[in-house]
Amino acid sequence: MSIQSSTQPIRFFHRGKVVEVRGTHPTRSVLDWLREDARCTGTKEGCNEGDCGACTVVIGELAGAGNVSGEGAVGGLNLQTVNACIQFLPTLHGKALFTVEDLKSQCEMQRDPAQHEKHAVRQLHPVQQAMVDCHGSQCGFCTPGFVMSLWSTYEHHQAGGTQPTRQQLADDLSGNLCRCTGYRPILDAGQRMFDLPAVRLDTAPAVAALTGLQRETTFTYAAPWTGNLAGAATASGTTLPRIDRYHAPKTLDELATLREQNPKAQLLAGSTDVGLWVNKQFRDLGDIIYVGDVGAMKVVEERGDTLYIGAGASLESAYGALAQRVPALTDVWLRFASPPIRHAGTMGGNVANGSPIGDSPPVLMALDADIELRRGEHVRWMPLSEFYIDYMKSHMQPGEFVQGLVVPLVAMRRQVRVYKISKRFDCDISALCAGFAIELDGDIVKEVRLAFGGMAATVKRAAQAEAALVGKPWSQVSVKAAKLALAQDFKPLSDMRASAAYRLQVAQNLIQRLWLETRTQNALPAEATSVWSVMPHITAVAAVTAVPGAVA
């Protein structure tokens, strides 16, 4: 079969039209392109690592495309906030990019149904006007990021015919930092914006443009200086183009072929970690295989007696599905980074990364999850608790990639708790994270899982502490034995986040807390042990229905 060597520009919808970008570097950020090439300087650079939210933009994808759920769609588009500073420009292909400049365009002219003519309505969008009315901005540097987060909330709730609670607004803004205004007037603005005359996004042009872009079956990108085109036929007989620096397969078979032929290439999903390698460590990533266009990787669904989470499913979708089934996971879901990070990042990437302070592995280990690995046509499974070998090392073989995560539904029937300990309540890296699951037979411990992150070079289960509990009465005596055994399971290190002594003591105290909350007599209610539970907050099930892209 002949090899097709043609390439395409990066094509996406921006400022009311389809934009074509050629000859840019594969790791050029969306933020740099906006400010330097498009001259859209409303989007700001703050931390350049996805923490401050000054660069927040909104990405739109066709609802239902690539297994992106239509839940919470706005006019046929799934709108999600992301950090432009760590998103690579080629990943925009086939999508829509909305920035603060688009809000002005929405308000320049609006048809008046009564007069049947166009006339100026206002200079500012309701989101922006509310920020003015409520004095939500001082220096103004962070304001465009806040405005875009609020705009996303505005569009979703307008489409659903609801208004967010103040706590929902706080959750939506947890990835936006302000150093001078304070959050009270910004939250006031979030409520005020719904009182102003409505201005809705006209999604028809974007939907039409993206529908045209989605007709393209493949996308490959290379800068002019790259070449060395090669190809391989997939099992379906279609031609799979390969390019020196950036590859964007559409199917699992194409991804498997690419990965097997180029095992040293850098896999890229949400770039919430990889983006920092470029911005902060100035790494040259070499060949990149982007998995974000593989729709089958984004699936989150029940398969038989398991919940299957594709490795490309966003953290928001994955945690939403888990929390819907295990409401106790709502805490760690909403405290895992920020909405823009959860929208872009993937649970599969968080697991594959192998960081000892990743919050997903302790949760999944507590739920007896298996990891699904693929190399070429071969697929294998292994318990996640056995996957990690040493610091940032795993049993993944060359040419292999994480295809999915498999969580048995029966494990979700146990009493599950996840405790995240960090210096900040929101949007912070854990000093330690504990995932617990316990099943009692009367007052006897039948099964228990105690998984910890931040306590060793890898996330792992506390085998000796578990052994001290299984088959024993669920009592203070057994808890004391488990706490002593925990000192044999872990020898934590001291670092900038916590000392070794603090980590061990807190880990032991969390076992005590588990007992207090799950003991057979006089178990303490959540409001007695968790500040989160007494905050006015959405329930896990309600949260899932409000999250665009969540798949049940």
Side-chain angles (χ1 to χ4, degrees):
M1 180 177 291
S2 63
I3 298 170
Q4 297 177 355
S5 60
S6 62
T7 63
Q8 296 174 244
I10 305 164
R11 303 179 70 224
F12 55 93
F13 183 84
H14 180 238
R15 303 302 309 278
K17 63 182 180 181
V18 174
V19 176
E20 292 191 357
V21 179
R22 302 174 184 270
T24 190
H25 196 275
T27 59
R28 182 168 178 76
S29 72
V30 173
L31 176 63
D32 285 348
W33 178 83
L34 279 171
R35 295 185 60 81
E36 297 173 5
D37 295 5
R39 299 299 180 184
C40 292
T41 55
T43 308
K44 300 296 189 287
E45 178 181 322
C47 66
N48 208 27
E49 59 185 36
D51 277 341
C52 72
C55 68
T56 302
V57 297
V58 174
I59 301 297
E61 294 186 70
L62 287 175
N67 287 305
V68 176
S69 170
E71 189 80 50
V74 177
L77 289 180
N78 280 105
L79 302 177
Q80 295 186 329
T81 52
V82 300
N83 299 115
C85 68
I86 53 175
Q87 290 297 307
F88 297 154
L89 190 62
T91 65
L92 286 183
H93 186 77
K95 302 173 185 176
L97 171 65
F98 298 98
T99 65
V100 70
E101 287 84 4
D102 289 293
L103 274 64
K104 180 177 183 294
S105 299
Q106 281 186 264
C107 299
E108 286 177 344
M109 299 295 291
Q110 179 175 312
R111 182 172 295 279
D112 186 282
Q115 299 181 17
H116 301 287
E117 62 182 13
K118 290 185 176 180
H119 64 96
V121 176
R122 63 175 68 82
Q123 294 299 311
L124 296 176
H125 188 279
V127 176
Q128 297 166 312
Q129 187 62 53
M131 289 285 279
V132 173
D133 294 346
C134 298
H135 306 286
S137 179
Q138 287 189 41
C139 81
F141 190 85
C142 68
T143 302
F146 273 97
V147 164
M148 291 310 295
S149 290
L150 287 173
W151 179 74
S152 177
T153 299
Y154 180 85
E155 289 291 338
H156 284 125
H157 283 273
Q158 288 276 42
T162 63
Q163 290 193 19
T165 65
R166 198 171 179 88
Q167 183 59 46
Q168 283 177 297
L169 286 168
D171 291 336
D172 290 347
L173 294 174
S174 63
N176 295 89
L177 300 181
C178 178
R179 297 184 182 275
C180 57
T181 303
Y183 299 98
R184 181 193 55 76
I186 297 174
L187 292 173
D188 290 343
Q191 294 178 306
R192 166 68 175 158
M193 64 187 182
F194 291 97
D195 297 332
L196 299 173
V199 173
R200 293 292 305 280
L201 171 67
D202 181 5
T203 58
V207 171
L210 294 188
T211 300
L213 290 176
Q214 289 295 331
R215 293 197 185 103
E216 298 169 357
T217 58
T218 60
F219 166 57
T220 59
Y221 164 77
W225 57 86
T226 63
N228 190 26
L229 294 174
T234 63
S236 62
T238 60
T239 299
L240 171 62
R242 290 190 65 229
I243 296 189
D244 216 21
R245 298 296 302 266
Y246 187 92
H247 317 262
K250 294 285 187 180
T251 69
L252 275 172
D253 287 342
E254 290 175 354
L255 171 59
T257 300
L258 273 172
R259 185 59 171 165
E260 188 173 27
Q261 294 180 352
N262 198 346
K264 294 183 179 180
Q266 176 60 54
L267 290 181
L268 175 69
S271 71
T272 55
D273 192 25
V274 174
L276 272 65
W277 299 353
V278 175
N279 289 353
K280 301 301 180 180
Q281 300 176 15
F282 308 109
R283 287 199 212 175
D284 181 355
L285 299 184
D287 282 5
I288 298 172
I289 300 176
Y290 175 57
V291 304
D293 289 337
V294 182
M297 291 274 280
K298 299 180 181 180
V299 170
V300 181
E301 63 185 10
E302 288 191 8
R303 295 182 178 177
D305 58 357
T306 67
L307 175 67
Y308 182 84
I309 301 172
S314 71
L315 285 158
E316 190 78 337
S317 295
Y319 269 114
L322 289 170
Q324 186 180 31
R325 293 159 177 81
V326 186
L329 299 181
T330 302
D331 186 336
V332 71
W333 168 23
L334 297 180
R335 291 180 60 200
F336 190 113
S338 64
I341 294 295
R342 296 197 304 267
H343 293 156
T346 64
M347 184 168 282
N350 193 238
V351 169
N353 176 277
S355 170
I357 51 175
D359 288 342
S360 298
V363 176
L364 295 168
M365 285 185 192
L367 295 174
D368 287 339
D370 285 344
I371 187 168
E372 183 181 71
L373 302 167
R374 178 169 176 173
R375 183 177 185 272
E377 296 297 321
H378 178 66
V379 179
R380 67 186 179 109
W381 297 263
M382 67 184 305
L384 181 60
S385 57
E386 300 175 7
F387 179 61
Y388 301 113
I389 300 172
D390 203 345
Y391 180 72
M392 305 295 282
K393 294 182 179 179
S394 69
H395 283 288
M396 197 181 308
Q397 300 171 357
E400 200 168 38
F401 64 94
V402 179
Q403 182 168 270
L405 300 160
V406 185
V407 185
L409 296 177
V410 66
M412 301 183 192
R413 298 172 191 159
R414 298 169 181 156
Q415 298 188 73
V416 179
R417 299 289 187 277
V418 177
Y419 305 123
K420 178 181 173 76
I421 307 299
S422 57
K423 291 185 176 181
R424 291 195 310 267
F425 190 79
D426 280 321
C427 197
D428 197 9
I429 296 174
S430 296
L432 67 93
C433 181
F436 297 156
I438 188 167
E439 180 179 351
L440 301 177
D441 183 2
D443 65 347
I444 302 298
V445 178
K446 182 179 179 180
E447 297 281 352
V448 66
R449 304 288 184 268
L450 307 175
F452 290 90
M455 292 285 287
T458 66
V459 178
K460 69 173 188 175
R461 284 170 48 182
Q464 296 191 57
E466 291 178 0
L469 293 174
V470 174
K472 305 294 194 305
W474 188 221
S475 65
Q476 186 67 69
V477 173
S478 298
V479 169
K480 183 178 180 180
K483 290 165 67 174
L484 292 173
L486 198 66
Q488 305 303 314
D489 283 309
F490 298 104
K491 302 295 182 185
L493 299 176
S494 295
D495 59 22
M496 62 185 297
R497 295 186 185 92
S499 67
Y502 174 84
R503 283 189 163 104
L504 181 58
Q505 182 176 347
V506 169
Q508 291 171 328
N509 290 345
L510 292 178
I511 298 177
Q512 176 77 17
R513 176 174 169 178
L514 175 68
W515 176 72
L516 290 171
E517 293 183 3
T518 61
R519 57 189 177 183
T520 55
Q521 294 183 353
N522 300 320
L524 294 179
E527 57 266 25
T529 59
S530 173
V531 65
W532 186 262
S533 65
V534 300
M535 295 172 67
H537 208 278
I538 52 178
T539 65
V541 173
V544 172
T545 61
V547 172
V551 183

